[in-house]
Amino acid sequence: MDRRRAPDSRRPLSPIISRDRMSPPSGDAPNTPESKSSSGIAGVFKSTFGGRLHRNPAPVNAAAASSLSPSSHGTLTRSRSRGTLVGLGDGEPELFLGRQPDYIQQYGQQLQPGKPLQGRVEAAQALRMNLEPLTSNNIVDIWSASKDLLDPRHSQDVRGAGFELLTACVNHSSHKPLQRRAFYETLSAPLNPDDFHLQLSAMRDLTSDGRSIHPFEASILPLLTQWLKSWFIASVAARTAQKDKLFRTNGTLGEETNLTQLYNFIINVVKYNYKIFAELDVRALLEEVLVVCRRTTSEQDIRNSIQLIDAIITYGTLPQEILSPCIEVLCGIYNQLKPLADITWNAIANLCRSHVAQLTLNALFNVLRKSNSAERNTNTIRGALSIIQKLIMANGADSLVLVPLQVALESFRKALAADSARLELDIVTTIDNLLGEGEIVDALLEEDCSNLLNVLRHASGRADTLLDNSDLMNQKDTKEIRIGNMMTDSLNSIFGKIETLFHRFEIIEKEKIIDFFFSVHNRLSDSCAELLIHYYIEEHLCYPSNTNWLLNSNRLIDAFFRTRNRHTPVRLLVLRAMRDVYETIKDVYDAAAVDELIWAVLDDIQHERDIQVLQVLVNFAVEVGDDADQALFARIVESLQATLRLPDTPSTNSSSSVKNESRPSSSATISNYTNSLDNVVARGFVHIFMRAFNESAEKALKAFEIILEIARSETCAVDARLSAMKLLFRLRSDSSHSMIIVSTLDSDGLASALNRTTQVLHLRDVPEEVPPSRHSMADDASSVRSNRSTSAGHPHSYMSRSNTRSMAGKNKYLPSSIPLWKYPDENALPQDPPSTPSHLLHSFDDRPVEIAEKLREEEPRTVLAMNIWLEVLISIIQQGGDWEIYSHVLVHLGSQLTNHSLFEGAKPQIQLLRSVICEQIKGNSFHEPPPSSGLKKADVTICLFHTLTMVLSYSRHFSKNEEDEIVRTFMHGVGSWERTAKRCIHALTICCHEVPLSISKSMNTILQKMSQIITQAHVAVHVLEFLAGLARMPEIYVNFREDDFRTVFGICFRYLQYVRDQRAKGSGPTSTRTSYASGRQGGTTKDYNGPTDHKPSPVTADELPQYVYALAYHVMTFWFMSLKVVDRAKHVGWITKNLISTDINGRESMDEQSQVTIDMMQRVAYSDLDETMHDPYFASVSDGEVMKKSWLDGLSIVTVETAAATGLSQITKRQPSGTSHSIFKLERAPMPHHQIISTTDTKHEGKDASSRVAVLPSHIFLQISATSYGLPEALRPIPLPDDDMTARAISTFDRNSTVDGHKVGVIYIGENQSTEQEILANVMGSHDYTDLLGRLGTLTRLKGARFNTQGLDREHDTDGQFTYCWRDRVTEIVYHITTMMPTNLEHDPQCINKKRHTGNDFVNIIFNNSGQPFRFDTFPSDFNYVNIVVTPESRASFVATRTHIEGQETDNLFYKVQVMSKPGFPEISPASETKIISGKSLPAFVRLIALNASVFSLVWATRDGGEHISSWRNRLREIVKLREKHAPSSASHYNTPSHAPTASTSTGNHSLLSSRDSGIQVQRESLNRRASTATFLTDSLSSHRSSVVSTATETDTGTAATDCDGVLESVLSIDTFSSTYLLESALPSNVINLELPLQPLSRALRSALTASSASIRLTKKDNIPTLSLTIVSATHTSATARSSHQPTPTPGLTTDDPSPLIDDSWARDRETIITQDIPVRVLPAASVEGIHEPRCREPDVHILLPPLLQLKSISERFTKLSLPSSSGSSSAFSGGGSNNTNTHYGQTPKLDLSANMHGDLRLGVTTDALKIESTWTGLANPELDARQVVGGEEGVAEHPSFVHEQALILYVYLEGEDEDAEESVLTYYISSYSA
């Protein structure tokens, strides 16, 4: 039993529990610690209902709470004795004893009032256990006696025993109503509060837990209401006491448990009995419940209250009077207590499903509508809002009431009166949620959206207030900012949803939405803003069709453009709209309104920091400026200028989609910006200038002045200055000084030198995440130091020290900084430049002052101050500054200086520029590039020298001393910097033409410098070309002394010795190279896409040695001929000595170049006459018969033609370097009278004196040559036989010209011409073009020309009547001039006849008068290697080019000359970079570079397969061949020459030969006696269809044609086919020429296969010449010839055509005689003179064939295989290579035969259906002479493989009967089908 304090009798019987009493006992329910703080939910309840919150435990089970402890006396046993316990009255009870057990009587007596309490308690406990046998009346009697035990004054134990007995009595059995009433009254009476849990438990037992309340149903609900009120008060008091810590407990408060149990009981009572309750009682109960909800601080109390309310709603109904208060309470709970939100919603949802649903909805709306009432709590309003949202979103589902949206939105609007930011946030969130539901949205679209927009407008203002007026340091303000941000997010979401739904709204609603958007424009997203702007545009609200268009335009500008925190795309959209409005109204509306619109847009442009917006603004200003008057234009210009002068201010638009860059200064790094504000404005002024170029001189002049100021300014951003310069550098002027803007610049070579080309920039290796900075030149040293310190200590430095080191090792010559400009720059200008010159702007006014003044008004000329621009450039060159600016000037200045007309008024500045450059170069005071650029100081000098070269063209403005200084400056560059030597040499070449006197003055020094660098491979070719050109300018070296000439020769010898030394070391010029481009400064190979393409790659002497090596000898040749005749002999010995090379073993040798050079000196050492001419009529008839004899005398062929009677002779001496003809006459002395007549003269007495043979040619030869007696046999003259072979050899020699011939095309391009067709159709050119032609060469008649016209027709004038030619003693040039060739566009619209000449020329001269850059691919050709483009420095119109102006002679004009080459073609010309040349010097300069380019092209064309052989060397080789053939066998060869060093490239496979000079001469004596040899040629042969046999006394020669394109040439000894013969002819030569039919002859010969003998007679039958073949055969012997005598079958013959030899020793028994008659035709001698062995060049390949029978067998097999696919076709040999076996000619099969010098032979057949081939390997190749093969011994080893497109020669050698008999040969000549 619990020990509890005895009750205080003085305490009133009140349910208020004192602090020292707690019920129930601690053991009845678990205790929970009391909260130490009222924060959290307690605070919420305190603010909601004014009470305090205590968290209660879960409700206690009623059964547990009502159980009592059993008695300590044990269990009483029921007695079986019968007895009755009678009821007790109000007085002392009296126990009636009947048949009851004794213990009943005993305990009944003991229970009576007045008995000792202890005994009564024991009795009550005993009876409690034994009530079962008693009746209900007995039970009532027992309780009547014991009910005083519940007296509050008794102790806890006594009261407990009484409640236990009461509970047992109540639960005994069903009682009658009166008995239940008695128990109820006991329980409803006031009892001790500590026993309330027992009291409530007994009440629950009495009512069956609320199910049965009869007969006290009328009073129980008020009782429970009173208990609820009392125990809530008690609970509040207990919580207060616990909070004050005056009483502590570890369990749950008993009062809270009692209250919870009471709520549970009331819920059950309501649940089962609501219908019988009075409405007033229910309302009283609900009012008390609402009081509890408002005042409690316990979540459990509220949960219990909601459950009670929900029970009433579910099982009954809420009285209408209490409905609204109840709704308000529930709304507050729903908003504040999230754990109770679900049960609260269930209660409200039940209401919304009931008959009071509409009343409930109205109550909810009323909560919102009366939100401004003081009685309204914000949380209640927010709860109502949330419930309404939930109801709306339910949309009638689950039987919930439908909410009218318009009423809800109107309620939302009225709720704003509460002035609560949190409430407004909830409203906005609710709307946001509602707009996310499809069905709700559909309903909303049908409603008026005014309320919605008003709510959003108010909320937007609230959000602005919260965010704008908040102090971040205040906690409250921080909360407001959070609410403001959340509200902003919701509003943005709503705006986005409205934007999405906008197109679905009606037009009226759209207008409301647009107005709303305008009212909250600062809160709109970009997409919403764009929607609004597009609406204004589409509805034309900003156009004059709307009366408020200007107001609307200003609204747009103010709302979305001037607000600079608005994102860029939105602002740009407004600008585009305004530009469209402007375009619409500018020509039709009031000017004042237009101006207002313009300045609404452009106002405050100077403060714009968004680059994209500024760009559009500037573009708008440019467009407006086009139409503006001068006042408006001045204002626009002033605004733009103000933008340039603003300080650097970073953009505040951090949220912009485009990064707004600050303005970079000239020393700022560029790693953090890509464009500057200054640059946008600068390009705007450029745009203004270009648009006004042909429209307004005043506007253009103003823009030009500002652009010039930008370029000059050091405070403007670097990229802005570059933009200004990009325009200024593109300014040009034409011949009339009208301004032009060009689109491209010719500066790619210099841009490449400074690493600014696109190709070089692509190679940069700069990490993107850490871009290095760019330094100005002045800050290089300091910036390096600062970067070092910064990178060590600052984590955000641009490049760490380690990074810098790693970069230094990569791309050593590439820039490590990010450049601001590159070449080419496609976006240099904001628009395409005008195609025509400006008629308003000029660079110079060349009119006299008087005339200019008179015409000021009629013909005003606006002159741009180009002299000021040049001053700006000079200042930059002097002061340096930013590297980007400085490098841009270095690269582009030279190109602009080529336009003399542009700087006509800047003569003082030109002179100053010359002075500055010369001083800087000589003093080495020019500015050095920064280390970050990856360049060296020499790279800067390259650009300076280029600029000085352009300045040189202004020499007419310089004094003689200034010209001398320019030359000295170039001389300084030759030896000071390695990379400038080449350019300075080229510049000196120009000086030779332009300032020859200054060059002449410094010639000695120039030669000395060149002699020092001649062994440098990269400049050797340029030095030699300089000397070669100089040799043709006698005015320069007119004062040369002997030592000066020797210096020139010494330069050549020094290079030759260098080559020899390198060759001896196994390296140098003889080494093989596969690349012809090297050097960082060289141009790169590009596609055919523009005028700057096809820059040649630099070449060194090591890369193409043939040209440079030969060039050295050419220089010596030119300079030797430049010597005076009297001085030449002095140098011969010294030159000869140096031409002989000595190897390391002391052996002397001399190559071909040296030999022909010595030969040249021998020929011209004592003569300066031109070539002599052969006179075929030198002797008259009286001089006697002319006899001819030739000798080989040294390296010359001497031919003496002597008139036998008089000895008058013509001597022809053929040398490698030329041919001379002279007349030799023997002056006969008168015969003395005493002299007798010689015996030979006696024989001629009486005869004609002219028939006398008195002098033979040998006599004449002896007169002019020294005696050969005693000389070594090798040095003796060799007489040549007087036969046809010698004659043909000499004739072939004579066809080799004594000069090197070249062909150069000349093409004129007229104004605006760009296509090949229109260019080639030109029949005339400009005046200066015609003048150039006249000075390039001499006008020459083509018809009947006796020189090589290089393909031009010499008979029928098909290529024109005339052309221009030029020739000196070494070289000849024939010009293929398109304007002088016939033009027939009707029959030849493509001008093919012209193209066949110029298209095959290696070099073309292009006179470009089109006004456009020339494109290399204008004339597609595989052979055009070089185009020399000549362009007038000033463009001229078509009329001007045809008009000759007095005083404007060609000599005073200037031209740009540029050499453009095919990709990969090396750089060998001084004009590989554009040069400017005066008209006076132009012809000589162009001819010189054309000649050099042609020579080089000839070498270049043969670089892969051999070498180019000059005509002199070729003549030398012909002489050597004759010596080798005719020299005595005992004589040694005459100084066999060795080849000059060659460069050949091995491609790894067998390459093909096409050079005519790469053939091999076969020595027949080295061939196997019984073999057949095939020889392959690369030229096709002509065929002879007739068959001719010529018979002579010595040999019979037969020429027969095969069935294919070929010739059979047989040279047979008579002994081969005849033992005896008799030949008699009427001809002096005893020759009979016959024409025979082949088929009859073949049949006749086949019939003689088995003959024992045969004879042939030429006779006549029926007056027809007949060849009669008589055949005698024996019948008993075999018909087969001996195998030893069988000739080898030959390809091309039929299978039964062996043509055997006849053996006379055959035995026979019986002879058969057969006669075959073959009709023939006897040919006169005249008709067979043209029949000869086909003339072929030296063969490429020859090989010994395999056995002919094997070859024949395979050939026949191939033929049979090919027949099914092509019936009736015949097979033939073809010289096609194996690479062309896929080529078919119709349906005819071709038999392919190919071979190489590696012993391989391939035989194959190809048809449409098959391809089959057989290959023989290991065959023998005849031994070749290494001297006759390109590359010498290596050439033999690497002889080219299967050649293609060739001819084929087959040799079949036939033995005679005897071993000593002369050999015969059958030769088959077969043309290749592929040829």
Side-chain angles (χ1 to χ4, degrees), residues 768-826:
E768 295 181 0
E769 61 275 11
V770 279
S773 60
R774 176 182 56 82
H775 310 287
S776 66
M777 293 174 52
D779 296 335
D780 279 338
S782 62
S783 59
V784 170
R785 290 191 295 270
S786 63
N787 278 345
R788 187 182 301 118
S789 61
T790 301
S791 62
H794 199 287
H796 303 293
S797 60
Y798 292 124
M799 180 178 289
S800 65
R801 187 183 309 173
S802 60
N803 210 0
T804 303
R805 285 197 301 268
S806 65
M807 285 296 300
K810 295 181 180 180
N811 297 333
K812 181 177 180 182
Y813 297 107
L814 297 180
S816 60
S817 59
I818 302 176
L820 287 184
W821 67 272
K822 65 178 181 178
Y823 184 91
D825 188 353
E826 298 81 3

Side-chain angles (χ1 to χ4, degrees), residues 187 277 342 626 682 685-686 915 938 1216 1294 1305 1371 1507 1604 1827 1833 1852:
L187 290 175
F277 293 145
D342 291 339
D626 282 350
F685 279 114
V686 171
S915 177
D1294 287 339
T1371 311
E1507 63 172 320
C1604 63
R1827 294 171 299 172
E1833 295 293 339
V1852 182

Side-chain angles (χ1 to χ4, degrees), residues 729 869-878 889 893 896:
F729 273 124
W869 164 233
L870 196 52
E871 289 179 1
V872 172
L873 297 177
I874 294 172
S875 175
I876 293 173
I877 293 176
Q878 286 179 313
V889 172
L893 176 56
Q896 192 171 36

Side-chain angles (χ1 to χ4, degrees), residues 1211-1268:
I1211 302 173
T1212 301
K1213 186 175 184 181
R1214 298 175 175 87
Q1215 297 176 243
S1217 60
T1219 300
S1220 61
H1221 303 273
S1222 58
I1223 301 297
F1224 185 88
K1225 182 179 181 181
L1226 295 174
E1227 289 294 339
R1228 299 180 61 183
M1231 182 181 296
H1233 294 287
H1234 57 276
Q1235 181 175 340
I1236 66 172
I1237 300 175
S1238 66
T1239 56
T1240 56
D1241 289 341
T1242 303
K1243 295 180 179 180
H1244 286 86
E1245 280 190 54
K1247 296 183 178 181
D1248 185 4
S1250 61
S1251 64
R1252 180 188 176 198
V1253 179
V1255 182
L1256 295 177
S1258 297
H1259 173 75
I1260 304 300
F1261 180 74
L1262 289 174
Q1263 306 308 308
I1264 62 174
S1265 62
T1267 178
S1268 59

